[in-house]
Amino acid sequence: MRSRILPLVVGLLLIGGVSAAAPAGDAGARGRLDLVTARGELRVCSTGDYRPFTYRAPDGSWTGIDLDLARDLATRLGVRLKIVPTTWSTLLPDFRRHCDIAVGGISITLDRARQAFFSKPYVRDGKTPITRCENKDRFQTLDQIDQPGVRAVVNPGGTNEQFARASLKRATIVVHPDNNTIFDEIIAGRVDLMMTDATETRWQARQRPELCAVHPEAPFTFSEKAYLVPLGDVVFQQWVDQWLNLALHDGTWARISKPWLG
């Protein structure tokens, strides 16, 4: 009798339009969008140390392209914005425990994609050096950089450190914990260069005349920036993608990014 009942139940579910193989993440995704709306608050994780995308000033105020875009996202959802500080080392666990979305120049990686969904990309980027302008010709290639005596500084826990450790075997890697002051180490001569995303090298070089971005138009790697959204939340991911697509084409991105990128 039991063997006849189970096929009958499955058949009735299929006839009624409910698939036994429906993705588990679908219900959770609809729940996330509804949860944010019901809560009246969009919780956004960000590191606050990666201009021009995100910056937390000493007085606690937040600025940056991605923070302004997050404010626009919250406005379009009709909710208030709550920023949750995190670090590159704790980004994923903090995001999964506390946030609806994470922003701030986050590079798409396969490791991160195991733990979260990404939105559609909005910036194409890649790792390239920034150094004192008098040293620009010395550090054009990875072979020139990966030499004994060369000191490459990294901020811990993110793709900059991962790239440096994978690429440099003879040069010295110096870990500096504060990405907001890391470029002062290059100016002071305590390190020789940093390899980071081309967008950041361009912005920092404009703020600090002592520094030059090294071939930011032709970085060593290819990467894209996107926002983290919860793994399995398909509906929420699609909603964020549609918002981002509109922002990139209705003038929102251009208006917000112009003061930072020119």
Side-chain angles (χ1 to χ4, degrees), residues 33-50:
L33 192 57
D34 290 343
L35 174 63
V36 169
T37 304
R39 188 199 298 143
E41 180 177 83
L42 179 70
R43 296 173 182 172
V44 180
C45 278
S46 197
T47 62
D49 65 351
Y50 185 19

Side-chain angles (χ1 to χ4, degrees), residues 10-22:
V10 173
L12 289 173
L13 288 173
L14 292 174
I15 291 171
V18 179
S19 170

Side-chain angles (χ1 to χ4, degrees), residues 132-174:
R132 291 184 62 91
C133 290
E134 63 264 29
N135 294 326
K136 186 176 180 180
D137 292 339
R138 287 182 56 201
F139 301 127
Q140 292 286 314
T141 68
L142 281 173
D143 188 61
Q144 288 177 307
I145 294 168
D146 192 20
Q147 296 295 328
V150 174
R151 299 158 300 171
V153 67
V154 299
N155 56 309
T159 57
N160 289 339
E161 183 179 18
Q162 292 169 13
F163 177 70
R165 294 197 182 282
S167 304
L168 304 181
K169 305 304 178 186
R170 293 172 290 180
T172 300
I173 295 175
V174 178

Side-chain angles (χ1 to χ4, degrees), residues 13-210:
L13 288 173
L14 292 174
I15 291 171
V18 179
S19 170
D26 186 65
R30 291 183 184 277
R32 175 67 57 153
L33 192 57
D34 290 343
L35 174 63
V36 169
T37 304
R39 188 199 298 143
E41 180 177 83
L42 179 70
R43 296 173 182 172
V44 180
C45 278
S46 197
T47 62
D49 65 351
Y50 185 19
R51 288 173 285 185
F53 298 104
T54 175
Y55 176 59
R56 188 184 190 189
D59 65 4
S61 61
W62 290 80
T63 57
I65 295 170
D66 283 350
L67 272 299
D68 286 341
L69 282 167
R71 292 185 182 97
D72 182 79
L73 173 59
T75 297
R76 299 205 195 196
L77 281 168
V79 300
R80 63 186 173 274
L81 178 75
K82 179 180 180 179
I83 303 171
V84 180
T86 185
T87 68
W88 291 109
S89 298
T90 62
L91 173 63
L92 280 164
D94 285 347
F95 164 67
R96 294 174 68 187
R97 282 196 297 263
H98 304 300
C99 295
D100 306 303
I101 190 169
V103 309
I106 300 170
S107 297
I108 297 174
T109 70
L110 295 178
D111 287 341
R112 287 171 177 164
R114 288 178 178 268
Q115 302 180 62
F117 275 171
F118 281 101
S119 71
K120 67 176 291 180
Y122 62 97
V123 167
R124 178 176 290 185
D125 223 331
K127 303 301 181 189
T128 207
I130 183 169
T131 186
R132 291 184 62 91
C133 290
E134 63 264 29
N135 294 326
K136 186 176 180 180
D137 292 339
R138 287 182 56 201
F139 301 127
Q140 292 286 314
T141 68
L142 281 173
D143 188 61
Q144 288 177 307
I145 294 168
D146 192 20
Q147 296 295 328
V150 174
R151 299 158 300 171
V153 67
V154 299
N155 56 309
T159 57
N160 289 339
E161 183 179 18
Q162 292 169 13
F163 177 70
R165 294 197 182 282
S167 304
L168 304 181
K169 305 304 178 186
R170 293 172 290 180
T172 300
I173 295 175
V174 178
V175 178
H176 185 77
D178 185 357
N179 203 44
N180 285 316
T181 62
I182 198 167
F183 299 94
D184 297 331
E185 299 298 294
I186 306 173
I187 293 172
R190 289 186 284 270
V191 295
D192 298 302
L193 76 150
M194 180 181 183
M195 292 186 291
T196 184
D197 294 312
T199 303
E200 185 176 35
T201 67
R202 287 189 178 103
W203 191 86
Q204 290 290 345
R206 283 199 297 269
Q207 313 309 308
R208 306 164 188 267
E210 304 95 333

